[in-house]
Amino acid sequence: KAGVTQTPRYLIKTRGQQVTLSCSPISGHRSVSWYQQTPGQGLQFLFEYFSETQRNKGNFPGRFSGRQFSNSRSEMNVSTLELGDSALYLCASSLVPGNQPQHFGDGTRLSIL
Amino acid sequence: GQNIDQPTEMTATEGAIVQINCTYQTSGFNGLFWYQQHAGEAPTFLSYNVLDGLEEKGRFSSFLSRSKGYSYLLLKELQMKDSASYLCAVIKAAGNKLTFGGGTRVLVKP
């Protein structure tokens, strides 16, 4: 069965712009989490969604937001982009929240000029 | 908060064994995951431990001691393709948030 699909794979933006990233979970998975990966900070949790509800949020500014749709697909949005937002954004899905392996997509590499 | 520590880098020879340690300090611990990540690729799930003891999966084994806040990933019969970063991550009782260590880059030499 298909894995977690993230689009786009690569994105180049300039400071001040906004961006929307998309994630389609593995079929049947209802929990979606987002992570940011940078060389300096490693993998950091952004937020998680289950049943269209945000259940948890990491320590990121309000410029970072997300949502989940009824088909479990999720989007994250970053507004007023800053140079420091350049990173690999990873989406992970699991059947339900909790003690379940989370399976990651290939990520969206966002570069801010 | 949570502290998760693992070595930054390890080097080993093809065919050998390498043990990657991970120590953590957290409240509400509900399990520990190990992921493998090749450069430029997504992390892939390797193992999950919630109870003390050793879980074996082919060439890879993972151990957990909850009282010591300690886990290790054991890679046996190393192959060149095992050169990658290995990430230790802790999950708490509430929610689905994984907190990751900085990752250990393993280099396998011929």
Side-chain angles (χ1 to χ4, degrees):
Chain A
K1 78 184 161 179
V4 178
T5 304
Q6 290 188 247
T7 55
R9 287 295 311 277
Y10 303 93
L11 207 46
I12 298 175
K13 292 284 187 180
T14 56
R15 280 181 299 173
Q17 287 187 308
Q18 76 163 21
V19 68
T20 299
L21 312 181
S22 179
C23 171
S24 293
I26 292 171
S27 178
H29 284 196
R30 295 162 56 204
S31 178
V32 173
S33 299
W34 288 89
Y35 296 84
Q36 181 196 65
Q37 187 172 33
T38 59
Q41 300 296 319
L43 262 161
Q44 292 189 290
F45 172 80
L46 280 157
F47 24 65
E48 66 162 292
Y49 289 89
F50 178 68
S51 293
E52 302 176 65
T53 302
Q54 186 181 92
R55 290 162 44 93
N56 229 331
K57 191 176 194 304
N59 293 329
F60 280 83
R63 301 184 296 107
F64 291 80
S65 63
R67 58 178 174 167
Q68 187 181 34
F69 302 95
S70 58
N71 62 357
S72 297
R73 192 177 71 84
S74 177
E75 289 181 347
M76 68 163 279
N77 186 77
V78 188
S79 61
T80 321
L81 286 164
E82 300 177 359
L83 291 177
D85 297 334
S86 293
L88 180 66
Y89 290 88
L90 291 161
C91 166
S93 76
S94 60
L95 280 168
V96 292
N99 302 342
Q100 302 271 336
Q102 293 183 35
H103 299 277
F104 285 82
D106 288 333
T108 294
R109 184 159 297 280
L110 176 62
S111 299
I112 312 301
L113 304 179
Chain B
Q2 299 177 83
N3 288 327
I4 302 174
D5 292 312
Q6 44 181 136
T8 306
E9 205 166 280
M10 302 180 75
T11 303
T13 307
E14 196 175 12
I17 297 173
V18 72
Q19 177 174 314
I20 306 168
N21 295 325
C22 172
T23 58
Y24 63 89
Q25 293 173 312
T26 185
S27 56
F29 175 84
N30 203 33
L32 188 143
F33 292 85
W34 284 96
Y35 283 85
Q36 179 193 60
Q37 187 176 26
H38 285 100
E41 296 183 13
T44 55
F45 168 74
L46 289 178
S47 69
Y48 170 63
N49 294 72
V50 63
L51 299 176
D52 289 353
L54 188 68
E55 295 277 343
E56 296 189 80
K57 238 190 221 185
R59 294 189 299 114
F60 293 3
S61 304
S62 57
F63 171 84
L64 176 68
S65 168
R66 289 172 298 171
S67 62
K68 294 181 179 170
Y70 168 68
S71 173
Y72 67 73
L73 180 70
L74 197 69
L75 285 60
K76 294 179 268 191
E77 299 165 22
L78 278 170
Q79 300 175 10
M80 299 299 291
K81 67 178 182 179
D82 297 331
S83 291
S85 284
Y86 292 85
L87 302 157
C88 163
V90 166
I91 192 166
K92 296 178 77 165
N96 215 28
K97 171 184 174 180
L98 288 174
T99 301
F100 284 87
T104 299
R105 192 159 55 184
V106 171
L107 178 61
V108 180
K109 294 186 172 178

